[in-house]
Amino acid sequence: MDFTLLLFFLLAATAVATALGLLLSRNAVYAALFLVLNFATVAVFYLLLGAPFVAMTQVTVYAGAIMVLFLFVIMLLGAEKLPKGEALPWQRPLAIGAAVILFAEAVYLLVQRVRLTAALPDPGTWENSMESLRQMAGMLFTDYLLPFEVTSLLLLVAMIGAIVLTKGERAVRS
Amino acid sequence: MIPLTYYLVLSAILFTMGALGVLIRRNALVIFMSVELMLNAANLAFVAFARQYNAFSGQLFVFFVMTVAAAEVAVGLALIVAIFRVKHNIDVDQMSSLKG
């Protein structure tokens, strides 16, 4: 077993374990920190796949900005302790059954239908060079210019929406 | 070195765990985090396919998914804060009425 494969299995085990921690932890802060660790692990996968810029964006945007927002809201609401709460008795087994079916379908579609068993080419120095980043940026601003512009509109709408939602509530209370 | 199939199976596992989190947890914040886990699993598959086909499109789609996730989190957390102000609770079982 070579080093890359060993690294892959180690990281995969970490990713699955942190996802399990997110599912099972009874404290919202712990759940958020498990998710940060999961995002960091996936960022290392991106590095293994020769996508260094995506990996850095993952760390700064996902593990940084988005999860800080989550932690901020958890602290703001003081909602870190999650009550046990009586679940519907049939809900958990049904959910696990549905998840097993979903997993089986996903594996069937992705593995059986794609039928790619060849090993991925290892990223060389070109993938980690500025030249590859320059080409990707060129593609973003030519072929994908319209989605890029729509993205800016989406962010504007989200910003206005967030402000209106939190501001309107305060006006109702006073 | 690593077959594409391994990445796809890992992505499927993470996606399923995110879906399971949405189904079994009752705290709105944890449900949101599970949705993020699902988006992340999809991103992993995108980057793996980008590596396989040596195309940048997969990596560019990851950026768009990240933008949508950021917008979704901003609006969703604002909604959760607004609901918390009215109900003092973010248990999804409590959100059963249409008029606050």
Side-chain angles (χ1 to χ4, degrees):
Chain A
M1 183 181 279
D2 65 321
F3 177 69
T4 324
L5 207 59
L6 195 67
L7 189 63
F8 176 87
F9 281 120
L10 212 62
L11 285 169
T14 315
V16 173
T18 48
L20 261 181
L22 166 69
L23 283 189
L24 298 178
S25 73
R26 304 243 48 106
N27 187 318
V29 177
Y30 292 165
L33 292 178
F34 272 126
L35 194 56
V36 169
L37 199 55
N38 188 284
F39 286 162
T41 323
V42 174
V44 181
F45 277 125
Y46 292 161
L47 283 178
L48 277 179
L49 285 165
F53 190 65
V54 179
M56 291 305 119
T57 320
Q58 168 92 357
V59 170
T60 51
V61 175
Y62 252 126
I66 291 182
M67 290 321 290
V68 165
L69 201 59
F70 263 110
L71 284 171
F72 181 73
V73 169
I74 293 169
M75 304 279 181
L76 179 74
L77 301 183
E80 62 266 17
K81 279 272 175 282
L82 308 177
K84 265 293 200 187
E86 68 266 27
L88 301 169
W90 45 266
Q91 190 187 15
R92 190 159 292 213
L94 191 68
I96 292 174
V100 168
I101 292 171
L102 176 70
F103 179 66
E105 283 177 351
V107 167
Y108 174 74
L109 282 176
L110 290 175
V111 178
Q112 290 299 116
R113 300 290 294 275
V114 172
R115 285 191 190 284
L116 288 168
T117 47
L120 289 174
D122 259 344
T125 48
W126 189 82
E127 276 82 1
N128 294 324
S129 67
M130 285 303 279
E131 179 56 27
S132 104
L133 186 59
R134 206 178 63 80
Q135 274 195 19
M136 192 166 76
M139 204 167 159
L140 178 63
F141 289 114
T142 52
D143 294 353
Y144 289 91
L145 186 61
L146 181 65
F148 182 78
E149 296 293 343
V150 172
T151 289
S152 69
L153 199 67
L154 177 73
L155 284 175
L156 179 69
V157 170
M159 191 174 72
I160 295 173
I163 292 171
V164 168
L165 274 173
T166 47
K167 192 164 177 268
E169 195 53 51
R170 201 172 296 136
V172 168
R173 268 178 71 200
S174 57
Chain B
M1 292 293 206
I2 304 158
L4 175 66
T5 316
Y6 288 14
Y7 280 106
L8 292 183
V9 170
L10 177 66
S11 170
I13 290 172
L14 290 179
F15 190 88
T16 309
M17 289 175 89
L20 193 59
V22 172
L23 288 175
I24 64 174
R25 298 305 297 262
R26 11 222 352 105
N27 183 291
L29 280 165
V30 179
I31 288 178
F32 241 114
M33 290 185 215
S34 303
V35 172
E36 295 302 314
L37 190 63
M38 289 162 78
L39 287 170
N40 216 44
N43 280 352
L44 184 62
F46 265 130
V47 176
F49 274 119
R51 180 86 221 114
Q52 171 76 35
Y53 294 109
N54 219 351
F56 282 128
S57 308
Q59 296 189 25
L60 291 177
F61 265 90
V62 170
F63 290 122
F64 294 131
V65 171
M66 277 182 187
T67 323
V68 171
E72 173 223 335
V73 164
V75 176
L77 288 179
L79 273 173
I80 287 177
V81 170
I83 290 168
F84 188 82
R85 282 196 180 134
V86 177
K87 290 192 178 286
H88 300 285
N89 201 335
I90 47 169
D91 197 325
V92 285
D93 281 352
Q94 309 288 319
M95 303 174 200
S96 51
S97 56
L98 285 175
K99 272 180 91 175

